[in-house]
Amino acid sequence: MTAPIPPALKPRKRPRQERARVTVDAIFEAAIQVLLSDGLPRLTTTRVAERAGVSVGTMYQYFPNKQALIYALNERYLEALAEKIEQTCQAHHGAPLDRMVEALVDTYWRAKTERADVTRALYRSVVEMDNDALVEAFAARVNIATTAMLASARDAALQNLESTNLTLVTVIFGTVRNAFERNLPPDKAEELHRQLVVMCNAYLGTFRR
């Protein structure tokens, strides 16, 4: 059962019409810009509204406070990441295990490096926030996608699929996050990327037919 969203962090409403979605997208992008330029302590709904070109009243139609805005920003980020992983897994159903691993690592790594400064800012923004519901929802979507992909491998018979999948995604996600937290230089990050694929393939190699 997924943890409930804390009441204080719930948005007042979700955008349903195209114009409203454009407005909320502008608010999210403005929040990212303020996070990057001023940091979380100086981020306020007023600053974000000014950067987004909307009134504070419009901001409050959707987000009752700064914390709810940050929560929604992280929710959107994780939803987009889950979609990318789901698409990759679907595209590799029936592939050999090594191709599955390489595609999964590449997708997650690329998603984190496209805007690495944003990734780091978002990591820092939820340090003191109750984001269990977000993490659990993301993990549930990813587990369904990756488990289905691994189950379809043409060259392996995974005896304990749930445990194997948990080990694999934990190693991949944990390694990538550690790389970002350490702010590795590009050459070391790329070597880590390569070695991560090798390590995961060595682990799954024990299950190949």
Side-chain angles (χ1 to χ4, degrees):
M1 181 177 178
T2 302
I5 299 175
L9 300 179
K10 287 184 177 180
R12 284 201 167 106
K13 66 178 183 178
R14 303 280 186 177
R16 300 191 182 280
Q17 298 182 346
E18 181 62 25
R19 184 175 178 180
R21 286 193 289 269
V22 170
T23 296
V24 171
D25 284 346
I27 291 171
F28 282 146
E29 185 58 35
I32 289 172
Q33 292 174 13
V34 174
L35 268 178
L36 296 178
S37 62
D38 302 333
L40 183 62
R42 298 189 65 192
L43 184 148
T44 65
T45 52
T46 300
R47 283 175 182 262
V48 172
E50 290 176 351
R51 184 71 67 94
V54 302
S55 68
V56 174
T58 297
M59 170 81 73
Y60 285 137
Q61 287 181 26
Y62 300 98
F63 310 110
N65 50 54
K66 165 183 171 177
Q67 289 72 27
L69 171 60
I70 295 299
Y71 189 92
L73 184 61
N74 278 276
E75 180 182 40
R76 188 180 76 152
Y77 175 82
L78 288 177
E79 285 180 349
L81 180 56
E83 286 179 6
K84 291 177 181 178
I85 293 171
E86 287 169 342
Q87 290 168 2
T88 293
C89 290
Q90 183 62 41
H92 287 81
H93 272 221
L97 274 177
D98 58 351
R99 285 178 55 195
M100 291 179 175
V101 167
E102 185 174 0
L104 184 58
V105 172
D106 286 351
T107 296
Y108 194 70
W109 197 287
R110 186 168 58 254
K112 295 293 184 178
T113 56
E114 284 174 344
R115 299 182 69 179
D117 53 349
V118 174
T119 298
R120 294 189 185 95
L122 291 177
Y123 279 159
R124 292 192 292 268
S125 73
V126 293
V127 169
E128 298 181 1
M129 185 176 291
D130 182 2
N131 67 331
D132 287 351
L134 291 184
V135 174
E136 289 179 19
F138 171 75
R141 287 181 64 177
V142 168
N143 283 341
I144 291 172
T146 52
T147 299
M149 178 181 69
L150 292 175
S152 73
R154 71 174 66 158
D155 60 343
L158 303 179
Q159 297 291 326
N160 193 337
L161 184 58
E162 182 178 350
S163 176
T164 301
N165 181 72
L166 177 62
T167 301
L168 181 67
V169 297
T170 299
V171 168
I172 293 173
F173 295 175
T175 300
V176 175
R177 175 156 189 168
N178 183 263
F180 276 92
E181 289 177 342
R182 296 176 64 184
N183 196 19
L184 294 176
D187 59 332
K188 291 186 181 297
E190 183 55 36
E191 178 61 15
L192 178 60
H193 181 175
R194 190 183 71 81
Q195 294 289 352
L196 177 59
V197 172
V198 171
M199 180 172 64
C200 291
N201 272 321
Y203 167 63
L204 290 181
T206 60
F207 302 109
R208 286 188 177 87
R209 292 190 181 97

